[in-house]
Amino acid sequence: MSKESRVKKSLQNMKVNLVAYFVTIVVSFFTRKIFLDQLGDEFIGLTTTINSLLAFLNLAELGVGASIAYFLYKPLYDDDKGKINEIISIMGYLYRFIGLFILCAGIVLSFFLPLIFEGTQQSWFIVYYCFYGQLACSLIGYFFNYKANTIFNADQRQYLVNGYFQLTQFVCTIIQMLFALYTNSCAIYITVSIVFAVVNSVILNWKFNKVYPWVEADYRLGKEAIKSHSEIIQYVKRVFVHQIGGFINNSVMPLIVYAYASLAMVTFYGNYILVNSKISQLVNAAFSGTNAGIGNLIAEGNPKRIYDCYKELFSIKFFAVLYLSVCLIYLNSDFVAVWLGEKYVLESLIVALICADFCLNLLRDTTEQYLNGYGLKADVWVPVCRIISLLFVVVAGKFWGLVGILAVPVVVQLLLMHVWKPYYLYRDGFRMPFIDYVKLLVFNALPFLCAYLITQWVITMLGVPEGLTLTWKVFLIKSFAFCSVFGIFSFGFAYLSSEGIRSFVGRVREGLFHKK
């Protein structure tokens, strides 16, 4: 695969995903208010909690999808169709058993729903319908969508998966909103979700069969081939252990919040998570396709190009994430107040911890992408430490409530994902001294500290309103003032300080010049 085609696919991923993102984000925030008003805080909290429960079952996936994608990079690069079919057959064979296990485990788990949701105001029909509906949607991926999801991702065509998914989600959300307004029916809300999960699967597989008509998943071939591919099973085991860390952050936390509070508090917490997740989607849309690109770049084996690409990608993403994180901390509660109402606003320390977790989660991606590209998964003790940290989360929650629950993962993630992981990459991947990473981090972080201090002084001089904002007009003025001033100073300082930012700007200039 040439460099040109890799860049072209990355740009295509970015363009499609950004368009889909901006189309859906307005609908998501607009409909959230309607769903809360028409269906109730408790029902929205119920759907969030059930998603977290089903995430436990999805751990049975064992990281097969991510592992298979890694083993597809070279066959796709070499256009080895036989090898691709063999690997996909192994995946189909494994996913058949994983899907059946999740189905059986889900049925068993459903027997305990009366204990889990004891005291809920929702009818048991709604609780069970929501549970089995979401379980069915999850199983579609294991039995029908796995080929398209995996190969599109490994071949840098993730924009097709995201594009069709966002389109069906957009239509689904609009229809759910209309039914919520005119019927207030939670059952219809769930039914529409199930129908559009099926519709998305049909469209995705239709497109996949057009692009890759030669790909077939033969279960018998998979059963035989897996015996001669012990390296896949070994890699799956390592990836599985690492995926537990992300699972803890995304799925266990809402359950712990529910354990110490209520379904309503899960909804309050979920409102902020929704805002942050939409910003995450923006960042991921902008950097979509880089996973497979990095895998192919490493496969080419040019150490200088590999590291230069890392520095540039790290600097660009660091700037984007830190800029958005600072803006979120400053404006998040104001947005929730004008969007949903003052009663949904959480205390400032909780908001800061939520935003810090959001920032750390996104900043780790570049290092993780390169670790995945090198196949460096031997540090299985890291997710084990994150599991053990749950004990500290529970204890902290007992003494300090939601603040304690959120503070422990931030500290743990900072130490494991932003100290150890870069050290591991520099030691076993780049084979360079760790001090080089420290320098890279410092030269990218310092501009933001300077920019923030100057921005605070400037907006005070401009007379920008302080305190919680309760009207859209004041919110827009406050947002524009802070984001624009902070953006100007942070980018200016970053350009002077960061080699990666200067390299990126130079690349953009060169691209524009050649276009002309």
Side-chain angles (χ1 to χ4, degrees):
M1 183 180 298
S2 68
K3 179 182 176 183
E4 182 181 2
S5 64
R6 183 169 60 239
V7 172
K8 183 177 179 180
K9 288 181 179 179
S10 294
L11 290 175
Q12 182 70 6
N13 276 316
M14 181 187 299
K15 287 188 288 187
V16 172
N17 289 337
L18 284 174
V19 170
Y21 169 82
F22 285 112
V23 168
T24 58
I25 187 171
V26 176
V27 176
S28 298
F29 284 118
F30 178 70
T31 55
R32 178 77 172 186
K33 174 66 172 173
I34 293 174
F35 292 147
L36 288 172
D37 290 342
Q38 302 299 320
L39 304 180
D41 298 345
E42 186 163 303
F43 174 72
I44 301 302
L46 173 71
T47 60
T48 302
T49 306
I50 286 178
N51 270 327
S52 298
L53 289 172
L54 291 176
F56 277 102
L57 303 183
N58 286 321
L59 274 178
E61 197 268 346
L62 297 171
V64 170
S67 302
I68 294 298
Y70 169 74
F71 285 99
L72 281 172
Y73 290 148
K74 193 172 191 311
L76 285 168
Y77 181 82
D78 297 334
D79 195 26
D80 188 342
K81 295 180 180 179
K83 189 71 171 180
I84 293 170
N85 277 323
E86 183 181 59
I87 294 175
I88 285 296
S89 295
I90 292 174
M91 185 179 191
Y93 173 73
L94 293 174
Y95 262 28
R96 171 181 283 186
F97 289 101
I98 292 170
L100 290 173
F101 172 81
I102 290 175
L103 174 61
C104 295
I107 294 172
V108 173
L109 178 60
S110 68
F111 295 146
F112 297 92
L113 293 182
L115 296 177
I116 297 171
F117 296 108
E118 184 179 4
T120 180
Q121 299 300 311
Q122 296 292 323
S123 69
W124 288 112
F125 168 76
I126 291 297
V127 172
Y128 275 95
Y129 189 33
C130 184
F131 179 83
Y132 277 108
Q134 292 192 27
L135 177 61
C137 293
S138 175
L139 291 174
I140 288 174
Y142 293 103
F143 292 113
F144 302 105
N145 294 350
Y146 65 91
K147 291 188 295 183
N149 285 331
T150 305
I151 292 187
F152 277 147
N153 180 55
D155 201 23
Q156 288 186 272
R157 300 181 189 270
Q158 189 64 26
Y159 63 89
L160 293 172
V161 178
N162 292 340
Y164 289 122
F165 175 76
Q166 294 291 357
L167 175 62
T168 54
Q169 280 296 104
F170 171 78
V171 178
C172 175
T173 304
I174 294 296
I175 293 176
Q176 286 176 322
M177 177 192 69
L178 294 175
F179 275 114
L181 283 171
Y182 291 104
T183 68
N184 301 106
S185 172
C186 297
I188 293 179
Y189 176 95
I190 299 166
T191 302
V192 174
S193 295
I194 299 171
V195 169
F196 274 90
V198 175
V199 170
N200 178 68
S201 177
V202 171
I203 295 174
L204 182 63
N205 282 284
W206 165 78
K207 183 62 178 179
F208 176 77
N209 290 328
K210 285 190 67 175
V211 179
Y212 303 98
W214 46 268
V215 173
E216 294 181 4
D218 187 324
Y219 299 113
R220 287 174 296 181
L221 172 62
K223 183 178 180 180
E224 292 300 318
I226 198 171
K227 297 175 184 177
S228 59
H229 287 279
S230 59
E231 73 279 5
I232 293 181
I233 300 301
Q234 183 65 27
Y235 194 74
V236 165
K237 292 177 181 177
R238 292 179 176 180
V239 171
F240 164 67
V241 177
H242 283 276
Q243 287 193 331
I244 293 176
F247 162 77
I248 289 172
N249 193 73
N250 298 325
S251 302
V252 175
M253 292 303 293
L255 294 177
I256 297 177
V257 172
Y258 171 53
Y260 283 98
S262 63
L263 286 177
M265 180 53 72
V266 173
T267 302
F268 290 11
Y269 168 75
N271 292 332
Y272 283 86
I273 297 301
L274 176 63
V275 176
N276 290 3
S277 69
K278 292 303 177 184
I279 302 298
S280 296
Q281 288 174 19
L282 172 62
V283 175
N284 291 331
F287 291 91
S288 59
T290 55
N291 275 320
I294 289 169
N296 290 319
L297 177 65
I298 292 174
E300 290 180 5
N302 186 324
K304 185 178 186 307
R305 281 186 60 199
I306 291 171
Y307 187 60
D308 286 345
C309 178
Y310 173 80
K311 288 192 297 181
E312 187 171 329
L313 186 60
F314 178 92
S315 299
I316 300 166
K317 198 160 192 177
F318 191 93
F319 175 83
V321 171
L322 219 59
Y323 171 76
L324 292 170
S325 298
V326 173
C327 292
L328 272 176
I329 292 174
Y330 188 78
L331 297 166
N332 219 345
S333 289
D334 296 270
F335 177 73
V336 170
V338 297
W339 171 38
L340 300 174
E342 193 174 356
K343 79 167 188 173
Y344 291 100
V345 174
L346 296 173
E347 62 179 273
S348 57
L349 180 56
I350 292 175
V351 176
L353 289 170
I354 292 174
C355 293
D357 185 67
F358 154 85
C359 178
L360 293 174
N361 260 323
L362 286 178
L363 287 180
R364 60 185 269 201
D365 283 354
T366 304
T367 297
E368 287 278 15
Q369 286 174 323
Y370 273 79
L371 286 170
N372 292 337
Y374 279 111
L376 296 174
K377 295 289 182 181
D379 57 336
V380 294
W381 58 270
V382 171
V384 173
C385 289
R386 297 191 75 178
I387 295 173
I388 295 173
S389 73
L390 285 178
L391 297 175
F392 295 97
V393 172
V394 173
V395 172
K398 184 175 181 179
F399 286 99
W400 297 293
L402 191 54
V403 171
I405 291 171
L406 297 174
V408 173
V410 168
V411 174
V412 170
Q413 187 172 188
L414 188 63
L415 294 175
L416 295 180
M417 313 309 294
H418 296 277
V419 176
W420 160 252
K421 287 288 188 179
Y423 172 78
Y424 183 33
L425 174 62
Y426 272 71
R427 187 191 69 184
D428 293 358
F430 298 144
R431 302 190 183 279
M432 297 172 62
F434 182 62
I435 190 64
D436 288 347
Y437 172 77
V438 175
K439 292 176 182 177
L440 179 66
L441 181 64
V442 169
F443 282 113
N444 279 281
L446 277 178
F448 286 92
L449 176 60
C450 300
Y452 181 76
L453 294 175
I454 294 176
T455 301
Q456 287 284 52
W457 176 77
V458 170
I459 62 172
T460 301
M461 296 294 292
L462 292 174
V464 176
E466 298 182 359
L468 192 64
T469 303
L470 297 176
T471 66
W472 281 108
K473 180 180 178 181
V474 176
F475 173 74
L476 291 174
I477 293 173
K478 187 175 181 179
S479 301
F480 177 77
F482 182 84
C483 294
S484 57
V485 173
F486 182 62
I488 292 170
F489 282 107
S490 59
F491 182 77
F493 290 141
Y495 182 81
L496 295 174
S497 177
S498 171
E499 179 186 347
I501 294 295
R502 291 194 297 273
S503 175
F504 173 71
V505 172
R507 189 186 299 273
V508 171
R509 284 176 178 168
E510 183 181 356
L512 292 175
F513 177 78
H514 283 303
K515 269 191 174 183
K516 293 179 180 179

